[in-house]
Each structure stands twice: as structure tokens, then as C-alpha cells.
Amino acid sequence: MVTDKPGYEHLIQFLTENLALFERGDNSTSGKTLGEVLEEAIAEQIIQLCTQHTELEMNHRSLIVREVDGIMYDFQEVLASVLSRPATAQQTELIQEVALLIKNLFDNAIADLMD
């Protein structure tokens, strides 16, 4: 499981270290809330992951979805007080970076699985 790997702990730590960025709520540019940006960014990366890894069986894809649900739950817990605020450009950029890191964790887990 991805959430059992050290990389996931570093990802949560990275998000926690950047919480100050989420305390600021000015200069909204996207018109979307932080929650919407988070969901869309992670969903986009997971769709790309599944598209790139055509060798994945349905049970593997289901496992990925369950793992992503757990990750989303953790992130929503960390950001609970700000999820309904409009997202700033900096917040959106950080969330997209986090989504890419999540995809990389899954890419590495898939590579290990297929070896």
C-alpha cells in the first residue's frame, strides 16, 4: 500500500510544513474552493496514472481508488478549516505539486508491483 510507505509520510509532512500558505485567503484567482482544487488535481493525476499503466488489472485499479480515498481523507482532515475558501494561485500550485507527488508514489508502487 502507498500509504504505508515512507514517501507518503514525507508527503503529509510536506503539506503540514506548508500549512501557513493555506492560512492566507487573499488573491483568489481560480474561482474554485481549495476542496475543489484538491479533488480535481488528485483525480486528474490518478486518471493519468491509470491511462499510462494499461497493464493494471481491475483489482489493482480498485486498490488505487481505495488508497486515493484514504489520501483524500487525510488531506481533508489536515485542511478541514480552509477547504471551503477560494483557492489562491500559490495554493493551487502547491496542491498540483502534491498531486504530482501522489502520482509519483503510485508510479513507484506500480513499478515495484510489476517487477
Side-chain angles (χ1 to χ4, degrees):
M1 288 189 177
V2 170
T3 54
D4 293 341
K5 297 194 182 275
Y8 181 69
E9 292 172 11
H10 294 301
L11 185 61
I12 293 292
Q13 181 179 356
F14 174 74
L15 182 62
T16 304
E17 289 171 357
N18 287 285
L19 279 179
L21 177 64
F22 294 98
E23 292 172 1
R24 293 179 249 144
D26 53 321
N27 299 329
S28 174
T29 58
S30 70
K32 295 180 181 179
T33 66
L34 284 166
E36 291 168 334
V37 170
L38 179 65
E39 288 177 13
E40 289 175 9
I42 292 177
E44 181 180 307
Q45 291 303 317
I46 298 307
I47 289 168
Q48 186 175 357
L49 175 86
C50 290
T51 302
Q52 289 174 337
H53 293 280
T54 56
E55 72 278 12
L56 290 175
E57 297 175 11
M58 185 57 74
N59 61 331
H60 296 134
R61 292 173 194 266
S62 296
L63 179 61
I64 289 169
V65 170
R66 284 194 302 273
E67 289 271 333
V68 170
D69 282 344
I71 291 169
M72 285 297 297
Y73 178 80
D74 290 347
F75 282 10
Q76 288 170 336
E77 286 290 309
V78 171
L79 298 173
S81 65
V82 297
L83 285 175
S84 61
R85 290 185 189 166
T88 67
Q90 286 181 314
Q91 292 165 342
T92 300
E93 185 177 314
L94 180 69
I95 288 171
Q96 289 173 343
E97 185 176 341
V98 167
L100 283 170
L101 292 171
I102 291 169
K103 181 184 179 293
N104 287 341
L105 284 174
F106 279 99
D107 278 329
N108 291 336
I110 291 168
D112 291 345
L113 178 68
M114 297 302 170
D115 282 344

